[in-house]
């Protein structure tokens, strides 16, 4: 069975790597002349893909090492699989497109605010290298994997997506449900993608049934609460994530002291 300590150790290593990325980005950004937005944008278009690729390879190496540890913990047969890095889903073109989108901030009275958005994007992209490594190798091996929230509290979005795998791997429950793309992540997200062997249960200490119970409350409110319905009416009716957004909106208000992004309405 996957140990809680193993998950927390990898989370801490990923957090340390994220801090290194943020520090290097901040140092580079501090040397730019923000009074000249076009050269700054061009400099970031050159710098950001290199930054992501460099630290992404480190995240990939950490994930490969951890994957082998997870296989050992689950009693998998040694030598059955040679852990390997997958083709990255975070390409230079994807990073450049994000920089171009964020670069609009450089032509505003507060161009320095782009740094926060760049840092968030960098965190997401670098961690994606590691997450892709876990999911790809699990697929090669025929093992399962689950999205496991870590840290003191989790945001509503992550909890909804984690509940899909949590309910599947919970000993007390059965059957997976399509609550959204469990492989979707945001910047500054500390969810871990964890390999689970055939006989493994969901990692202890993460209360998987509670995730699903909270989701069910949000789902009920999404269908019946006037405030939540008004919020959903404000969304584009063709938005494919409209239902997910409604559930998240409701959960933030139902569990303000439990969720990282909880909202107190009274």
């Amino acid at each position: 069975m996957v140990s809680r300590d193993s998950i927390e150790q990898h989370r801490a290593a990923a957090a340390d790597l994220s801090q290194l990325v943020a520090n290097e980005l901040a140092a580079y950004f501090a040397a730019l002349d923000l009074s000249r937005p076009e050269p700054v944008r061009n400099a970031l278009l050159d710098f950001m893909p290199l930054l992501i690729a460099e630290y992404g390879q480190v995240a990939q190496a950490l994930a490969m090492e951890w994957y082998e540890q997870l296989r050992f913990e689950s009693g998998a047969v040694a030598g059955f699989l040679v852990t390997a890095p997958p083709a990255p889903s975070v390409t230079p073109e994807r990073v450049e497109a994000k920089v171009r989108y964020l670069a609009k901030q450089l032509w505003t009275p507060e161009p320095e605010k782009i740094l926060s958005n760049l840092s968030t994007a960098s965190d997401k992209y670098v961690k994606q290298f590691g997450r892709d490594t876990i999911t790809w190798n699990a697929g090669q091996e025929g093992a399962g994997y689950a999205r496991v929230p870590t840290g003191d509290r989790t945001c509503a979005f992550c909890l909804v997506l984690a509940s899909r795998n949590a309910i599947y791997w919970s000993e007390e429950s059965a059957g997976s449900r399509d609550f959204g793309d469990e492989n979707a992540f945001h910047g500054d997200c500390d969810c871990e993608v964890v390999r689970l062997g055939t006989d493994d249960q969901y990692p202890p200490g993460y209360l998987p049934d509670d995730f699903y119970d909270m989701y069910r409350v949000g789902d009920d409110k999404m269908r019946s609460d006037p405030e939540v319905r008004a919020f959903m009416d404000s969304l584009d009716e063709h938005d494919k994530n409209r239902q997910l957004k409604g559930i998240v909106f409701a959960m933030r208000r139902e569990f303000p002291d439990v969720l990282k992004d909880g909202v107190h309405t009274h």
Side-chain angles (χ1 to χ4, degrees), residues 24-184:
E24 184 166 337
L25 173 59
Y28 181 82
F29 188 81
L32 299 175
D33 181 1
L34 299 184
S35 68
R36 305 174 63 211
E38 186 170 349
V40 170
R41 179 200 61 196
N42 294 341
L44 290 171
L45 285 170
D46 290 336
F47 176 75
M48 289 292 292
L50 296 175
L51 178 74
I52 301 303
E54 176 186 357
Y55 285 98
Q57 290 173 11
V58 178
Q60 197 171 67
L62 288 172
M64 290 171 62
E65 181 179 351
W66 189 43
Y67 194 90
E68 289 294 337
Q69 179 184 340
L70 293 174
R71 294 190 75 248
F72 175 79
E73 290 180 3
S74 71
V77 178
F80 176 75
L81 173 78
V82 177
T83 308
S89 64
V90 180
T91 62
E93 293 77 16
R94 182 177 172 186
V95 177
E96 289 170 6
K98 186 67 171 181
V99 172
R100 289 187 185 278
Y101 173 77
L102 296 176
K104 294 180 289 186
Q105 183 70 43
L106 295 171
W107 278 266
T108 71
E110 298 177 300
E112 68 280 357
K113 288 189 174 181
I114 191 179
L115 176 59
S116 175
N117 293 327
L118 289 171
S119 183
T120 299
S122 298
D123 178 81
K124 173 182 176 179
Y125 290 152
V126 167
K127 287 177 178 175
Q128 193 63 48
F129 277 79
R131 290 163 175 154
D132 287 346
T133 300
I134 301 295
T135 58
W136 187 81
N137 279 282
Q140 295 296 107
E141 184 185 4
Y145 63 88
R147 181 193 186 114
V148 178
T150 68
D152 295 333
R153 292 190 293 174
T154 299
C155 73
F157 172 81
C158 287
L159 191 145
V160 170
L161 297 187
S163 69
R164 175 178 182 175
N165 285 137
I167 202 69
Y168 179 79
W169 288 103
S170 167
E171 184 175 16
E172 294 78 19
S173 306
S176 61
R177 296 164 174 80
D178 187 7
F179 302 153
D181 181 5
E182 71 271 23
N183 293 321

